[in-house]
Amino acid sequence: MSVKTTREEWLAYLERIASGNSLAQASFSIPRRKDEETARKLSVRPIKLKSGLFYQFERHLNNKVFHENVAAEQLPEKLADAMNSYKQALFKTADADVQVLANKKGELTMISRAKTVKEEAVPREHNRSKQYVLPEGEPVPFLAALGVMTVEGKVVKAKYDKFRQINRFLEMVADVVSELPRDRTLRIVDFGCGKSYLTFALYHFLAIKEGLPVRIIGLDLKKDVIEACSKLASELEWDNLSFSVGDIADYEDRSPIDMVVTLHACDTATDAALLKAIGWEASVILSVPCCQHELFRQISQPILQPLLKHGILKERLSALVTDAIRANLLELAGYRTQLLEFIDLEHTPKNILIRAVKSRKSDHAQLKAEYEQFRDFLSVSPYMDKNMNSCV
């Protein structure tokens, strides 16, 4: 139910959830101002400290995370202040999930979705155990089907690393989900999906947990793997998740693509996927590169000869240079780009994830000059650079 809300009604709602200790989680997104002082994301959750019930405000600002513990009696005022800085918020309580939207005038609309089963807002023990996007002990059908957990929700010991990897991936998705469009069904392509643990996790998170309209297609060259993934999607009755056999470079789709995922695509296959994403003007790009051979054969710089003469060091440098070039080219294409630490994939020790979010271009001339100087210093001619003009 969607209702325009007066300030008095808004403040009364905040007082009600605070006095009843019913707030399980709140998240604020889409800052009203693009400045260095406003966190791109703010989340709130109850925690139990020795001195009683508090609410932890977690702010993500300039790639850093800041925490503030607020006493329960201060919660309504703090939540009201927070809403003044954001266009959107989601409050999860025992009885309902309430989305709050603010227009340019600061007027609020509340969209409430009642829960069929009442949930208790339980404060978490502070710093005791890792809180996952997909919690331990909560049955998840696709994880049970893939052998990661039992039907009762217990994580299989041999699959715990995979369970952690899935949750780490979803944490990175959760940080940028507010950047995705809300006016249509989201379209997502996963290049080189493999066994699709993360593809299924992405669908579960967006469609089941977040309730967003979404259509995901997984693409891979291995026919038997695609058949197995298609069978599982059918068994789960996830009609908007499909899989196809195909090559990244040959994939064509003229429909708007909102997110592109590419995990452990080898060498320039990663670059091909990134170029596709740029051409589609995808809102979000998530990429974990795998083997990177192209620049290993190209890098040449006499000043660095003490390093380059050692093959193992040259290999590591080539991988870092490759990802740095990809990040810079994404920035030149108008993306806000981060290199984040991921969890090792089973097929590769590479653990860097490139996360890019579409934004307005800024300081293009300076970025271009810095990139070209870096590229020319190492005497490299990257695949992605040579093919940028074909997609922008």
Side-chain angles (χ1 to χ4, degrees):
M1 181 176 63
S2 176
V3 179
K4 282 198 172 182
T5 306
T6 65
R7 178 172 175 77
E8 290 73 20
E9 290 170 334
W10 165 237
L11 295 177
Y13 170 74
L14 296 180
E15 289 285 353
R16 187 165 66 253
I17 62 174
S19 61
N21 295 335
S22 63
L23 181 65
Q25 182 184 351
S27 57
F28 297 80
S29 57
I30 313 180
R32 298 193 195 187
R33 300 181 303 277
K34 299 291 184 180
D35 56 42
E36 296 182 355
E37 296 181 359
T38 304
R40 58 183 172 80
K41 178 184 177 184
L42 167 63
S43 58
V44 183
R45 64 183 178 91
I47 59 172
K48 186 181 292 184
L49 303 179
K50 289 183 178 179
S51 52
L53 175 65
F54 282 76
Y55 291 85
Q56 186 172 88
F57 283 62
E58 181 179 278
R59 291 177 170 83
H60 295 254
L61 183 63
N62 297 327
N63 299 330
K64 295 182 179 179
V65 179
F66 299 90
H67 294 97
E68 177 188 8
N69 294 334
V70 173
E73 58 268 21
Q74 297 176 309
L75 182 63
E77 180 184 355
K78 284 286 187 178
L79 291 175
D81 287 344
M83 195 66 221
N84 291 333
S85 300
Y86 294 89
K87 297 179 182 179
Q88 180 174 293
L90 177 64
F91 293 81
K92 295 187 176 184
T93 68
D95 300 311
D97 289 345
V98 178
Q99 187 176 20
V100 184
L101 304 175
N103 62 21
K104 293 181 179 179
K105 297 180 181 179
E107 298 170 334
L108 301 180
T109 297
M110 297 177 68
I111 304 170
S112 179
R113 184 174 63 187
K115 295 180 178 177
T116 56
V117 178
K118 190 170 182 179
E119 300 174 2
E120 183 181 359
V122 181
R124 301 172 182 174
E125 294 291 337
H126 189 45
N127 290 337
R128 290 291 179 87
S129 61
K130 173 69 176 177
Q131 300 297 325
Y132 289 115
V133 177
L134 303 180
E136 296 182 64
E138 181 178 298
V140 180
F142 88 89
L143 289 179
L146 291 170
V148 176
M149 65 168 45
T150 66
V151 292
E152 294 81 17
K154 183 178 180 180
V155 178
V156 176
K157 187 175 181 180
K159 292 289 187 177
Y160 201 84
D161 286 345
K162 177 62 66 177
F163 177 73
R164 289 176 57 244
Q165 181 203 82
I166 290 169
N167 274 284
R168 176 61 175 150
F169 175 70
L170 293 182
E171 287 173 4
M172 294 178 172
V173 173
D175 283 345
V176 295
V177 71
S178 61
E179 306 286 348
L180 295 169
R182 288 291 189 272
D183 58 347
R184 62 173 183 267
T185 296
L186 299 174
R187 290 178 55 84
I188 299 172
V189 176
D190 184 351
F191 285 123
C193 60
K195 295 180 180 179
S196 299
Y197 286 91
L198 301 185
T199 321
F200 282 102
L202 184 61
Y203 186 90
H204 176 86
F205 175 71
L206 294 175
I208 309 302
K209 286 186 71 73
E210 295 295 315
L212 299 175
V214 62
R215 181 167 184 80
I216 301 179
I217 180 170
L219 192 74
D220 200 275
L221 289 172
K222 299 177 181 177
K223 184 179 178 181
D224 58 334
V225 170
I226 291 299
E227 289 176 349
C229 293
S230 298
K231 180 181 178 183
L232 177 54
S234 177
E235 292 172 352
L236 292 168
E237 297 184 348
W238 289 358
D239 296 334
N240 288 324
L241 174 61
S242 59
F243 298 89
S244 295
V245 177
D247 181 77
I248 293 172
D250 297 333
Y251 183 79
E252 297 292 341
D253 194 326
R254 296 184 180 181
S255 305
I257 302 296
D258 301 299
M259 179 188 288
V260 172
V261 178
T262 169
L263 305 174
H264 55 81
C266 289
D267 204 18
T268 56
T270 291
D271 301 292
L274 295 178
L275 290 171
K276 289 283 187 183
I278 293 171
W280 286 322
E281 297 188 339
S283 299
V284 173
I285 303 170
L286 299 170
S287 175
V288 178
C290 183
C291 51
Q292 299 155 329
H293 303 304
E294 183 195 22
L295 298 192
F296 181 85
R297 298 185 292 267
Q298 295 183 19
I299 288 181
S300 176
Q301 172 49 251
I303 295 175
L304 297 179
Q305 189 55 30
L307 183 155
L308 296 176
K309 68 182 180 181
H310 300 287
I312 188 172
L313 297 182
K314 183 179 179 181
E315 181 182 1
R316 292 179 183 178
L317 176 66
S318 299
L320 294 174
V321 169
T322 300
D323 287 338
I325 285 173
R326 288 164 174 160
N328 278 271
L329 289 175
L330 284 166
E331 289 177 349
L332 287 171
Y335 283 84
R336 186 173 71 251
T337 307
Q338 297 171 288
L339 298 182
L340 305 171
E341 186 176 20
F342 193 40
I343 294 175
D344 295 353
L345 297 163
E346 59 183 331
H347 300 303
T348 171
K350 308 301 183 187
N351 66 340
I352 289 178
L353 182 141
I354 302 171
R355 185 172 68 188
V357 175
K358 188 68 177 175
S359 62
R360 289 177 293 182
K361 297 181 180 180
S362 60
D363 298 325
H364 187 274
Q366 182 180 349
L367 285 171
K368 189 171 187 291
E370 290 175 352
Y371 163 69
E372 290 179 347
Q373 186 177 20
F374 177 71
R375 176 198 65 194
D376 296 342
F377 174 74
L378 295 170
S379 303
V380 295
S381 179
Y383 173 94
M384 188 172 169
D385 190 344
K386 290 183 291 186
N387 292 277
M388 280 285 286
N389 291 335
S390 65
C391 68
V392 296

